[in-house]
Amino acid sequence: DAGVIQSPRHEVTEMGQEVTLRCKPISGHNSLFWYRQTMMRGLELLIYFNNNVPIDDSGMPEDRFSAKMPNASFSTLKIQPSEPRDSAVYFCASSLAGVRGFGPGTRLTVL
Amino acid sequence: GDSVTQMEGPVTLSEEAFLTINCTYTATGYPSLFWYVQYPGEGLQLLLKATKADDKGSNKGFEATYRKETTSFHLEKGSVQVSDSAVYFCALSDSGGYNKLIFGAGTRLAVHP
């Protein structure tokens, strides 16, 4: 079985550009989570979905961040416009009944 | 709200030394507790878990016991190896039904030959 798939694995962009991170959860999982990892703040939960519906987005740092889950097999996290302080590793995770998997992460660098 | 506190790193040990990484939690309800490991340049892997009080999770020589009375879930290993060098995260899963994980800050472990 494939695990959580994230793309791209690495993204380098310039300040002000739009960035879209993608996630394909494990088939059959009904919850999806986006995390951000930085040296300063550790692992932060940004937003999570259940059955494609956003449940809690209180962790989204600013209005520049948005996330969607148009169907059970795909989610995006978008940053527009991006800023250097958004540089981090972004992880996607999915779960079903306590069984969860993490993606390999997308390392974002905003210059 | 729910939170996890773990000891600050880095923890530096010699090979075959005993490891303890402390973790305490604050939660309403009855959370499940986890230790995740992140090797350099990689994502998070589940190391072990415990779902109720007095449960002991174990894997790869690591173990942790869910202590409700002290709200703790300390990670231990009797003899560490260089290959154990990684960042270790303690986490809890709330009982709210969505299984969201709340992580501690992470503890970096460096094991030297």
PDB file of all heavy atoms in Angstrom, chain B residues 20-36:
ATOM      1  N   THR B  20      16.974   8.124  28.570  1.00  0.00           N
ATOM      2  CA  THR B  20      15.647   8.546  29.026  1.00  0.00           C
ATOM      3  C   THR B  20      15.349   9.901  28.406  1.00  0.00           C
ATOM      4  O   THR B  20      16.167  10.818  28.509  1.00  0.00           O
ATOM      5  CB  THR B  20      15.561   8.678  30.550  1.00  0.00           C
ATOM      6  OG1 THR B  20      15.828   7.420  31.162  1.00  0.00           O
ATOM      7  CG2 THR B  20      14.167   9.130  30.972  1.00  0.00           C
ATOM      8  N   ILE B  21      14.194  10.014  27.788  1.00  0.00           N
ATOM      9  CA  ILE B  21      13.694  11.305  27.323  1.00  0.00           C
ATOM     10  C   ILE B  21      12.342  11.502  27.993  1.00  0.00           C
ATOM     11  O   ILE B  21      11.420  10.708  27.813  1.00  0.00           O
ATOM     12  CB  ILE B  21      13.530  11.372  25.791  1.00  0.00           C
ATOM     13  CG1 ILE B  21      14.871  11.130  25.100  1.00  0.00           C
ATOM     14  CG2 ILE B  21      12.971  12.741  25.391  1.00  0.00           C
ATOM     15  CD1 ILE B  21      14.791  11.126  23.579  1.00  0.00           C
ATOM     16  N   ASN B  22      12.271  12.561  28.789  1.00  0.00           N
ATOM     17  CA  ASN B  22      11.057  12.803  29.568  1.00  0.00           C
ATOM     18  C   ASN B  22       9.964  13.462  28.736  1.00  0.00           C
ATOM     19  O   ASN B  22      10.240  14.327  27.888  1.00  0.00           O
ATOM     20  CB  ASN B  22      11.373  13.688  30.777  1.00  0.00           C
ATOM     21  CG  ASN B  22      12.196  12.962  31.820  1.00  0.00           C
ATOM     22  OD1 ASN B  22      12.213  11.739  31.881  1.00  0.00           O
ATOM     23  ND2 ASN B  22      12.904  13.714  32.637  1.00  0.00           N
ATOM     24  N   CYS B  23       8.735  13.050  29.021  1.00  0.00           N
ATOM     25  CA  CYS B  23       7.576  13.624  28.352  1.00  0.00           C
ATOM     26  C   CYS B  23       6.422  13.670  29.339  1.00  0.00           C
ATOM     27  O   CYS B  23       6.120  12.665  30.001  1.00  0.00           O
ATOM     28  CB  CYS B  23       7.176  12.788  27.144  1.00  0.00           C
ATOM     29  SG  CYS B  23       5.604  13.260  26.389  1.00  0.00           S
ATOM     30  N   THR B  24       5.810  14.827  29.465  1.00  0.00           N
ATOM     31  CA  THR B  24       4.600  14.949  30.256  1.00  0.00           C
ATOM     32  C   THR B  24       3.526  15.603  29.407  1.00  0.00           C
ATOM     33  O   THR B  24       3.823  16.283  28.422  1.00  0.00           O
ATOM     34  CB  THR B  24       4.824  15.786  31.532  1.00  0.00           C
ATOM     35  OG1 THR B  24       5.305  17.080  31.158  1.00  0.00           O
ATOM     36  CG2 THR B  24       5.808  15.118  32.467  1.00  0.00           C
ATOM     37  N   TYR B  25       2.290  15.395  29.791  1.00  0.00           N
ATOM     38  CA  TYR B  25       1.204  15.905  28.968  1.00  0.00           C
ATOM     39  C   TYR B  25       0.115  16.534  29.830  1.00  0.00           C
ATOM     40  O   TYR B  25       0.003  16.260  31.037  1.00  0.00           O
ATOM     41  CB  TYR B  25       0.607  14.785  28.106  1.00  0.00           C
ATOM     42  CG  TYR B  25      -0.106  13.717  28.906  1.00  0.00           C
ATOM     43  CD1 TYR B  25      -1.476  13.808  29.165  1.00  0.00           C
ATOM     44  CD2 TYR B  25       0.582  12.614  29.411  1.00  0.00           C
ATOM     45  CE1 TYR B  25      -2.130  12.848  29.908  1.00  0.00           C
ATOM     46  CE2 TYR B  25      -0.054  11.648  30.158  1.00  0.00           C
ATOM     47  CZ  TYR B  25      -1.417  11.764  30.399  1.00  0.00           C
ATOM     48  OH  TYR B  25      -2.061  10.809  31.152  1.00  0.00           O
ATOM     49  N   THR B  26      -0.668  17.370  29.179  1.00  0.00           N
ATOM     50  CA  THR B  26      -1.876  17.945  29.773  1.00  0.00           C
ATOM     51  C   THR B  26      -2.998  17.675  28.794  1.00  0.00           C
ATOM     52  O   THR B  26      -2.884  17.989  27.606  1.00  0.00           O
ATOM     53  CB  THR B  26      -1.726  19.460  29.971  1.00  0.00           C
ATOM     54  OG1 THR B  26      -0.622  19.721  30.821  1.00  0.00           O
ATOM     55  CG2 THR B  26      -2.987  20.039  30.606  1.00  0.00           C
ATOM     56  N   ALA B  27      -4.063  17.048  29.289  1.00  0.00           N
ATOM     57  CA  ALA B  27      -5.158  16.717  28.386  1.00  0.00           C
ATOM     58  C   ALA B  27      -6.452  16.539  29.162  1.00  0.00           C
ATOM     59  O   ALA B  27      -6.444  16.115  30.312  1.00  0.00           O
ATOM     60  CB  ALA B  27      -4.842  15.443  27.609  1.00  0.00           C
ATOM     61  N   THR B  28      -7.533  16.851  28.501  1.00  0.00           N
ATOM     62  CA  THR B  28      -8.839  16.485  29.028  1.00  0.00           C
ATOM     63  C   THR B  28      -9.181  15.127  28.432  1.00  0.00           C
ATOM     64  O   THR B  28      -8.721  14.760  27.363  1.00  0.00           O
ATOM     65  CB  THR B  28      -9.896  17.512  28.613  1.00  0.00           C
ATOM     66  OG1 THR B  28      -9.879  17.645  27.180  1.00  0.00           O
ATOM     67  CG2 THR B  28      -9.595  18.872  29.221  1.00  0.00           C
ATOM     68  N   GLY B  29      -9.955  14.368  29.143  1.00  0.00           N
ATOM     69  CA  GLY B  29     -10.303  13.059  28.612  1.00  0.00           C
ATOM     70  C   GLY B  29      -9.161  12.077  28.747  1.00  0.00           C
ATOM     71  O   GLY B  29      -8.275  12.209  29.596  1.00  0.00           O
ATOM     72  N   TYR B  30      -9.149  11.097  27.857  1.00  0.00           N
ATOM     73  CA  TYR B  30      -8.190   9.996  27.938  1.00  0.00           C
ATOM     74  C   TYR B  30      -7.454   9.865  26.608  1.00  0.00           C
ATOM     75  O   TYR B  30      -7.846   9.086  25.734  1.00  0.00           O
ATOM     76  CB  TYR B  30      -8.923   8.705  28.297  1.00  0.00           C
ATOM     77  CG  TYR B  30      -9.690   8.835  29.591  1.00  0.00           C
ATOM     78  CD1 TYR B  30     -11.046   9.158  29.595  1.00  0.00           C
ATOM     79  CD2 TYR B  30      -9.040   8.684  30.808  1.00  0.00           C
ATOM     80  CE1 TYR B  30     -11.736   9.304  30.787  1.00  0.00           C
ATOM     81  CE2 TYR B  30      -9.731   8.832  32.000  1.00  0.00           C
ATOM     82  CZ  TYR B  30     -11.084   9.143  31.978  1.00  0.00           C
ATOM     83  OH  TYR B  30     -11.766   9.303  33.153  1.00  0.00           O
ATOM     84  N   PRO B  31      -6.370  10.611  26.458  1.00  0.00           N
ATOM     85  CA  PRO B  31      -5.680  10.600  25.166  1.00  0.00           C
ATOM     86  C   PRO B  31      -4.888   9.323  24.967  1.00  0.00           C
ATOM     87  O   PRO B  31      -4.562   8.608  25.923  1.00  0.00           O
ATOM     88  CB  PRO B  31      -4.733  11.792  25.281  1.00  0.00           C
ATOM     89  CG  PRO B  31      -4.421  11.872  26.746  1.00  0.00           C
ATOM     90  CD  PRO B  31      -5.707  11.494  27.435  1.00  0.00           C
ATOM     91  N   SER B  32      -4.567   9.024  23.729  1.00  0.00           N
ATOM     92  CA  SER B  32      -3.543   8.040  23.405  1.00  0.00           C
ATOM     93  C   SER B  32      -2.214   8.778  23.314  1.00  0.00           C
ATOM     94  O   SER B  32      -2.172   9.963  22.973  1.00  0.00           O
ATOM     95  CB  SER B  32      -3.859   7.357  22.072  1.00  0.00           C
ATOM     96  OG  SER B  32      -5.039   6.604  22.150  1.00  0.00           O
ATOM     97  N   LEU B  33      -1.144   8.076  23.619  1.00  0.00           N
ATOM     98  CA  LEU B  33       0.184   8.699  23.661  1.00  0.00           C
ATOM     99  C   LEU B  33       1.119   7.994  22.688  1.00  0.00           C
ATOM    100  O   LEU B  33       1.019   6.776  22.489  1.00  0.00           O
ATOM    101  CB  LEU B  33       0.752   8.643  25.074  1.00  0.00           C
ATOM    102  CG  LEU B  33      -0.098   9.329  26.152  1.00  0.00           C
ATOM    103  CD1 LEU B  33       0.502   9.079  27.535  1.00  0.00           C
ATOM    104  CD2 LEU B  33      -0.210  10.819  25.878  1.00  0.00           C
ATOM    105  N   PHE B  34       2.025   8.765  22.107  1.00  0.00           N
ATOM    106  CA  PHE B  34       2.870   8.260  21.037  1.00  0.00           C
ATOM    107  C   PHE B  34       4.291   8.805  21.180  1.00  0.00           C
ATOM    108  O   PHE B  34       4.509   9.888  21.717  1.00  0.00           O
ATOM    109  CB  PHE B  34       2.352   8.722  19.661  1.00  0.00           C
ATOM    110  CG  PHE B  34       0.921   8.372  19.389  1.00  0.00           C
ATOM    111  CD1 PHE B  34      -0.102   9.156  19.881  1.00  0.00           C
ATOM    112  CD2 PHE B  34       0.609   7.261  18.624  1.00  0.00           C
ATOM    113  CE1 PHE B  34      -1.424   8.845  19.626  1.00  0.00           C
ATOM    114  CE2 PHE B  34      -0.712   6.940  18.362  1.00  0.00           C
ATOM    115  CZ  PHE B  34      -1.734   7.737  18.866  1.00  0.00           C
ATOM    116  N   TRP B  35       5.231   8.044  20.654  1.00  0.00           N
ATOM    117  CA  TRP B  35       6.556   8.550  20.357  1.00  0.00           C
ATOM    118  C   TRP B  35       6.801   8.344  18.866  1.00  0.00           C
ATOM    119  O   TRP B  35       6.607   7.237  18.330  1.00  0.00           O
ATOM    120  CB  TRP B  35       7.642   7.821  21.166  1.00  0.00           C
ATOM    121  CG  TRP B  35       7.789   8.351  22.549  1.00  0.00           C
ATOM    122  CD1 TRP B  35       7.281   7.841  23.700  1.00  0.00           C
ATOM    123  CD2 TRP B  35       8.513   9.530  22.930  1.00  0.00           C
ATOM    124  NE1 TRP B  35       7.640   8.617  24.770  1.00  0.00           N
ATOM    125  CE2 TRP B  35       8.393   9.660  24.332  1.00  0.00           C
ATOM    126  CE3 TRP B  35       9.272  10.488  22.237  1.00  0.00           C
ATOM    127  CZ2 TRP B  35       8.989  10.698  25.050  1.00  0.00           C
ATOM    128  CZ3 TRP B  35       9.850  11.516  22.937  1.00  0.00           C
ATOM    129  CH2 TRP B  35       9.705  11.614  24.337  1.00  0.00           C
ATOM    130  N   TYR B  36       7.207   9.456  18.228  1.00  0.00           N
ATOM    131  CA  TYR B  36       7.593   9.421  16.821  1.00  0.00           C
ATOM    132  C   TYR B  36       9.085   9.718  16.739  1.00  0.00           C
ATOM    133  O   TYR B  36       9.647  10.440  17.573  1.00  0.00           O
ATOM    134  CB  TYR B  36       6.826  10.472  16.016  1.00  0.00           C
ATOM    135  CG  TYR B  36       5.435  10.045  15.614  1.00  0.00           C
ATOM    136  CD1 TYR B  36       4.373  10.149  16.514  1.00  0.00           C
ATOM    137  CD2 TYR B  36       5.177   9.536  14.351  1.00  0.00           C
ATOM    138  CE1 TYR B  36       3.092   9.746  16.149  1.00  0.00           C
ATOM    139  CE2 TYR B  36       3.908   9.136  13.970  1.00  0.00           C
ATOM    140  CZ  TYR B  36       2.872   9.244  14.873  1.00  0.00           C
ATOM    141  OH  TYR B  36       1.603   8.845  14.501  1.00  0.00           O
TER     142      TYR B  36
END
